[in-house]
């Protein structure tokens, strides 16, 4: 049993950045595994049509009979879409490419922005007793991402340690502000995590300095290093914590999980 506080009911965190290739899915998978390692019950909701979080947690495409598409658009119960993973305490609602058409299909639905919010609050959810729900958002600010933000208590932003990294945040912050005004006034920023960090690289250090100067305590103390084990793990369909538990990448995600747990509960 973890000595860190559990949230009251599932704490829902959307992992979002409209820029692709920033380590969003990698962060979702490995943070979820690190929280599960702390004896938390965790659900990953794969909201990206690429389905990389599902693959990275070992869910074969043939086993994805019911997915986030059915959860959002066909009113399928949680008991049909929630699958166990190989990591104890970690479950997933998988995704397939079917989800890529969801944006168009959602437009005509009056409750289009609240479908995930309502789905994750079905009475069936109580029986799972999840402590955390992490939503892996698509790399765009579309209706799926808006659904995630309206469903979530907070947004975690992976920020790649590269040139112009901060400039891309302005549109994301604008979307968060709009969601606060239109459907989730309590949405907050959980934090910003620097990913693919190379301490030997002056640019990584400069991005970190700029991020901390501009965003202050929103930036986690933990940075996720550029680590070959982190890159290799998805091809073996497992989190880096399972693939190479002693790697620098695995340690970094454990540190990030501890920071999130220590930062307080809802």
């Amino acid at each position: 049993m973890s000595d860190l506080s559990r949230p009251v009911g599932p704490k829902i965190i959307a992992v979002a950045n409209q820029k692709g290739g920033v380590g969003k899915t990698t962060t979702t998978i490995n943070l979820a595994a690190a929280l599960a390692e702390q004896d938390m019950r965790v659900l990953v909701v794969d909201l990206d049509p690429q389905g990389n979080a599902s693959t990275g947690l070992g869910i074969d495409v043939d086993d994805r009979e019911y997915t986030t598409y059915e959860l959002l658009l066909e009113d399928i119960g949680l008991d049909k879409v929630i699958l166990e993973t190989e990591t104890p305490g970690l479950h997933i609602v998988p995704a397939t490419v079917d989800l890529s058409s969801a944006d168009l299909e959602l437009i005509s639905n009056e409750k289009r922005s609240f479908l995930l919010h309502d789905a994750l609050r079905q009475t069936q959810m109580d029986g799972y007793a999840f402590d955390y729900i992490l939503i892996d958002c698509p790399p765009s600010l579309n209706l799926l991402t808006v659904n995630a933000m309206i469903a979530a208590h907070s947004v975690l932003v992976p920020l790649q340690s590269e040139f112009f990294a901060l400039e891309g945040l302005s549109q994301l912050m604008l979307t968060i502000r709009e969601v606060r005004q239109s459907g989730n006034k309590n949405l907050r920023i959980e934090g910003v995590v620097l990913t693919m960090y190379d301490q030997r690289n002056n640019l990584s250090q400069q991005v970190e300095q700029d991020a901390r100067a501009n965003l202050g305590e929103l930036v986690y103390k933990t940075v996720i290093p550029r680590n070959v084990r982190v890159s290799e793990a998805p091809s073996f369909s497992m989190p880096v914590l399972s693939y190479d538990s002693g790697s620098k990448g695995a340690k970094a995600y454990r540190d990030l999980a501890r920071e999130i747990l220590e930062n307080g509960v809802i």
Side-chain angles (χ1 to χ4, degrees):
M1 179 69 66
S2 170
D3 58 344
L4 297 163
S5 298
R6 292 181 180 278
V8 179
K11 180 175 182 178
I12 306 175
I13 302 174
V15 183
N17 190 326
Q18 78 275 17
K19 193 168 185 292
V22 300
K24 179 180 53 59
T25 298
T26 301
T27 294
T28 303
I29 290 171
N30 291 300
L31 174 58
L35 288 168
E37 207 175 64
Q38 287 285 344
D39 199 28
M40 298 288 159
R41 286 182 58 79
V42 185
L43 174 67
V44 168
V45 178
D46 192 348
L47 209 60
D48 187 341
Q50 296 174 88
N52 290 336
S54 306
T55 303
L57 286 174
I59 307 300
D60 191 84
V61 174
D62 292 340
D63 295 328
R64 303 177 205 176
E65 182 179 0
Y66 298 109
T67 67
T68 42
Y69 177 88
E70 283 79 20
L71 183 66
L72 291 174
L73 291 158
E74 296 185 6
D75 206 24
I76 294 292
L78 286 166
D79 58 321
K80 286 191 168 64
V81 295
I82 293 177
L83 303 178
E84 292 185 14
T85 72
E86 293 292 324
T87 302
L90 177 52
H91 296 68
I92 187 168
V93 178
T96 63
V97 72
D98 289 351
L99 199 58
S100 59
S101 66
D103 244 35
L104 288 172
E105 296 180 51
L106 287 170
I107 289 171
S108 60
N109 191 313
E110 285 184 5
K111 297 190 69 179
R112 57 185 172 269
S113 298
F114 289 83
L115 294 175
L116 185 60
H117 172 281
D118 294 349
L120 294 181
R121 288 162 176 82
Q122 294 180 41
T123 52
Q124 293 174 334
M125 185 60 82
D126 295 341
Y128 288 99
F130 290 120
D131 297 298
Y132 283 87
I133 299 175
L134 303 184
I135 308 171
D136 186 34
C137 297
S140 59
L141 297 177
N142 58 14
L143 260 175
L144 290 173
T145 301
V146 170
N147 260 271
M149 289 185 182
I150 286 178
H153 299 108
S154 60
V155 180
L156 189 154
V157 184
L159 190 69
Q160 188 178 355
S161 304
E162 63 164 18
F163 203 54
F164 294 138
L166 287 175
E167 289 194 6
L169 275 185
S170 57
Q171 188 59 46
L172 180 62
M173 297 301 185
L174 185 63
T175 301
I176 291 171
R177 195 176 307 128
E178 289 171 352
V179 168
R180 282 180 185 143
Q181 293 169 352
S182 64
N184 185 359
K185 67 178 196 274
N186 296 318
L187 182 68
R188 65 183 185 85
I189 297 174
E190 184 71 26
V192 175
V193 57
L194 291 166
T195 61
M196 304 180 199
Y197 187 89
D198 185 348
Q199 62 183 6
R200 302 163 300 178
N201 187 318
N202 288 336
L203 180 58
S204 284
Q205 295 177 34
Q206 187 62 54
V207 170
E208 180 179 14
Q209 288 172 19
D210 290 349
R212 295 192 189 283
N214 283 280
L215 301 169
E217 292 188 357
L218 281 178
V219 183
Y220 290 108
K221 296 183 182 71
T222 302
V223 297
I224 308 301
R226 190 175 287 280
N227 179 252
V228 67
R229 294 307 200 192
V230 172
S231 303
E232 289 172 350
S235 63
F236 291 89
S237 300
M238 60 178 70
V240 71
L241 285 83
S242 303
Y243 176 64
D244 187 347
S245 183
S247 66
K248 287 182 179 177
K251 179 185 183 302
Y253 279 111
R254 287 190 183 99
D255 290 344
L256 178 62
R258 187 164 285 274
E259 261 198 89
I260 286 173
L261 289 166
E262 288 173 346
N263 275 352
V265 298
I266 55 170

